[in-house]
Amino acid sequence: MAGIRLTPEEPELPHGTPPRPQLPLPVAGAGAGAGVTAGGGASGGLDMASDDERSVAADSWSVRSDYGSTLDDDQRYADAADVLAAAAAAANFPSAASDYCSDKDDQDPIETEGSMLGLQSYWDASYSEDLANFQEHGHAGEIWFGADVMDTVAIWTKKLCANFIQGGTSSAKDNNNCEVDDKEFLNYPILDLGTGNGLLLQALAKQGFTDLTGTDYSEGAIELARNLAARDGFTAISFLVDDVLETKLDRKFKIITDKGTLDAIGLHPDGRAKRVMYWESVSNLVEPGGLVVITSCNHTKNELLQEVEDFSAQKSVKEDADSGVHQVFRYLDHVQTYPTIMFGGVEGSQVCTVAFQRV
């Protein structure tokens, strides 16, 4: 089953900024895709929310940075809360709902209803506002999944590479105090898909990585990322406007990172087909033997493993139906230190980070 989409981490707001109301939490137990997304997308009972209502909720969530907004925050936050609260009540969600992702559920994976967050128009408008507020106030906006997850991904990826260089594929562990001796991997070319404001690449640069590229289909995101990198002293990071589903990149990378991009693609009305396109593109962008590090809050580790396995099967049938399934990616490891909760006797977490190797 799917977990919920995490709301972005927001720094402390200036004095006088109206507080964001607390939205109702969904139950992660109503089948795959049961989680409520920031754009109002959900499965099951949340179908009761109309397209207009989802639009109100999605527009409200676009006001989401550390400076407040030039828009009517009070009304937009209230509208979003009312829409989602009404939908949750209509679906008979219990008030003590859990927001976990279970790796032990056997529901059909990757069944997520479309949402505004799956549309480029949403992200163009969102990053346009972020860019305008950066230029006026100097703020970077939010960090999706939070700064702690971002830093964990950067540190864990470094340790995974160190272990990979040494010829092993056992757990990289998540010990942030562990020192890595072998520095050869720091020159690996890294591509961050759907880079947004580019802060994950800055975190990777702080870990010593030097060949860093970020792409996003939103021009506003790339302009914001470039401005932030220049301000923060990371001028060596390259940022390009590119859609992973129709990529124009003509090089391969040793490491590909994705923090929320596959989630957003899955929220498109044609999300299932576009996710297949995503894996096809990633399989061509990563070097043989290279690493793909996916961070998701909409899907569990097991669901991602199943999706990769299904992609391999489809690709094998397409290329050579008589020779059996050829594995395209193989599972390496996953982050094991994210906070977990228990619900219904099952343990799960709000976010997962999974690493695959290109075969």
Side-chain angles (χ1 to χ4, degrees):
M1 76 181 69
I4 69 162
R5 182 178 183 87
L6 293 177
T7 56
E9 177 175 281
E10 299 188 32
E12 193 171 318
L13 297 177
H15 179 70
T17 301
R20 183 190 300 278
Q22 296 298 310
L23 300 184
L25 291 174
V27 171
V36 176
T37 70
S43 67
L46 289 189
D47 290 342
M48 298 173 189
S50 69
D51 290 341
D52 289 341
E53 289 170 331
R54 291 193 184 97
S55 179
V56 169
D59 288 344
S60 297
W61 276 104
S62 69
V63 186
R64 52 180 170 58
S65 60
D66 56 356
Y67 43 75
S69 171
T70 57
L71 303 178
D72 185 356
D73 292 356
D74 286 350
Q75 187 58 50
R76 298 182 73 177
Y77 289 163
D79 288 345
D82 290 345
V83 168
L84 296 182
N92 294 319
F93 285 163
S95 59
S98 165
D99 55 357
Y100 79 109
C101 293
S102 168
D103 281 341
K104 299 182 180 179
D105 195 284
D106 58 0
Q107 301 283 348
D108 292 337
I110 321 304
E111 288 289 350
T112 305
E113 182 182 332
S115 161
M116 293 289 289
L117 275 80
L119 303 179
Q120 181 174 349
S121 58
Y122 172 89
W123 296 108
D124 284 341
S126 175
Y127 284 114
S128 177
E129 183 179 351
D130 281 355
L131 181 61
N133 279 280
F134 168 77
Q135 293 168 341
E136 182 176 354
H137 303 288
H139 296 286
E142 88 290 356
I143 300 174
W144 287 103
F145 304 161
D148 289 344
V149 169
M150 180 183 71
D151 290 339
T152 294
V153 170
I155 295 169
W156 185 80
T157 298
K158 179 179 181 179
K159 299 186 189 316
L160 185 72
C161 290
N163 188 64
F164 172 74
I165 280 291
Q166 294 163 5
T169 57
S170 59
S171 175
K173 304 301 181 184
D174 312 342
N175 181 0
N176 292 352
N177 296 319
C178 178
E179 291 297 327
V180 177
D181 295 327
D182 196 328
K183 298 296 192 282
E184 176 186 348
F185 61 84
L186 295 178
N187 296 320
Y188 279 1
I190 297 180
L191 172 64
D192 184 35
L193 297 173
T195 194
N197 56 22
L199 294 183
L200 175 58
L201 288 174
Q202 290 194 27
L204 288 165
K206 292 174 183 177
Q207 293 301 315
F209 290 101
T210 59
D211 189 348
L212 300 166
T213 301
T215 61
D216 201 294
Y217 64 7
S218 173
E219 293 184 8
I222 293 302
E223 186 174 353
L224 176 63
R226 287 171 176 165
N227 277 277
L228 288 170
R231 183 196 69 180
D232 298 338
F234 296 99
T235 55
I237 301 177
S238 175
F239 292 102
L240 304 170
V241 177
D242 187 72
D243 184 349
V244 62
L245 303 185
E246 300 177 354
T247 184
K248 303 298 189 296
L249 299 180
D250 59 358
R251 63 176 293 197
K252 292 183 181 291
F253 298 82
K254 193 71 172 181
I255 305 168
I256 290 180
T257 59
D258 173 337
K259 185 165 66 69
T261 298
L262 183 59
D263 285 347
I265 289 173
L267 292 172
H268 189 276
D270 296 325
R272 177 177 288 276
K274 289 185 177 294
R275 289 174 76 96
V276 175
M277 294 170 60
Y278 169 93
W279 286 109
E280 182 68 35
S281 181
V282 169
S283 70
N284 293 324
L285 286 169
V286 66
E287 296 179 5
L291 309 179
V292 179
V293 180
I294 305 285
T295 300
S296 170
C297 70
N298 281 355
H299 302 288
T300 69
K301 181 197 75 172
N302 284 352
E303 288 174 344
L304 290 175
L305 265 61
Q306 184 63 54
E307 183 171 358
V308 167
E309 182 178 326
D310 291 344
F311 170 72
S312 294
Q314 294 174 27
K315 190 174 179 65
S316 296
V317 170
K318 182 178 179 180
E319 295 179 352
D320 188 352
D322 298 326
S323 61
V325 176
H326 298 291
Q327 195 176 29
V328 181
F329 296 98
R330 69 184 182 92
Y331 165 75
L332 285 183
D333 198 7
H334 69 282
V335 171
Q336 302 177 35
T337 58
Y338 291 139
T340 61
I341 63 171
M342 292 293 296
F343 182 79
V346 178
E347 185 176 27
S349 61
Q350 292 178 318
V351 63
C352 70
T353 298
V354 185
F356 300 93
Q357 183 181 25
R358 180 67 165 97
V359 177

